[in-house]
Every structure is written in C-alpha cells, then in structure tokens.
Amino acid sequence: MSLVQLGTRDLVRTVTGIARWSADTAELVVSLPGRIGVLLDQVEVLIARIEAISGGAEIAVARANAVAEAAATVVATAGTTSASAQTLIDLYEPLATKAAPLAQRFVDDLTEEEIHAAIGLVDHLPELTMRMEGLMPILATLDTVSPEIHQLLEEVQGVRQAIQGVPGFKFFRKRGEAQEDED
C-alpha cells in the first residue's frame, strides 16, 4: 500500500476543513438545547391543540349519540304509527271503497242550503227525540181512533144536514155571523 503524500496546501485545506467542521459541530451542539427547548414548546402547543380537538370531538360524539338516540325514538314511534295507520287502512279501505260512489253522489246532489238545513236538523235531534218519545204512545193509538173519527165526521155531516133543514136556519146563521163581525 502506498501512502499518498499530501502537499502543504492540501494539508492546510484538510486541517482548515476539519477545523470548520469541528466549529460547526460545536456550534450545533451548543445550539441544540435552545432548539430542543423551542421544539418542546412547539410540541406542548401542539399537544394542547390536540387535546382541545380531542375534547371537541368527544363533545361532538356525545351530541351525535344523543341525536342518534332521539332519531331511534322517532323511528320507533314512526314505526308504531305506521303500523296503526296500516291497520286502520286495512280496516276501513273496503268501507271507503264501497262508500265513495255514495259520498260522491251526496256531494254532487246537495246544495249549500240543504247542507245548512241538515246541520240545523242534526242540532235539533236531541229535542226532537225527547218529544217523539212522548208522541209515540199517542201515535200508536191512532190506528184505533181512525175509524172513530170517520164515524164522528159522518155524524157531524148528518147533524149539519139536519140543522140546514130546519126552517129559518139561514136567518139564525146570518144573525150569528153579524154578531161575530161586531165582536
């Protein structure tokens, strides 16, 4: 192996380079504590920001859980309501289908005055019901009264004819009418 011989210039350059490197390294080593301190301060600020973000995220997650629970309650209520509505639809759909033509005819044929009259009649139904309960026994006896009324009318007709046959009846009738006019 052969050694390379360096000249004075090369030796001065190499020593100068090593001296600069040593100075730069020493400067770096001396500045490291300050730079590490700044870096630690920045890390602390970063950790504080991460903790704040983490706290905000926890609050957001808690709110999201509350919203999800409320939504689950709404969905459950909607499901129950939907099931009830479907039961009612199943129950009343045949009736509605059957009644639709009648309802359409009812709407087409009735005037506004007739509707108001029907509402008035409905308003009077309680009183009408009470009065009809009193009239029903009387109406039931009309079957037996009807022949008697016909007999009574025949008798009255006979009495009228008999009175008109009495001589001077026209005079008495005119006199009675004159007295009624005076009264």
Side-chain angles (χ1 to χ4, degrees), residues 106-125:
F106 182 81
V107 168
D108 291 343
D109 290 348
L110 288 180
T111 65
E112 188 172 341
E113 293 82 22
E114 290 171 329
I115 291 172
H116 288 296
I119 291 170
L121 180 63
V122 169
D123 289 342
H124 287 86
L125 279 178

Side-chain angles (χ1 to χ4, degrees), residues 87-110:
T87 301
L88 290 174
I89 288 171
D90 292 342
L91 180 65
Y92 289 109
E93 184 177 23
L95 178 65
T97 302
K98 188 175 182 180
L102 298 174
Q104 185 63 47
R105 183 173 168 211
F106 182 81
V107 168
D108 291 343
D109 290 348
L110 288 180

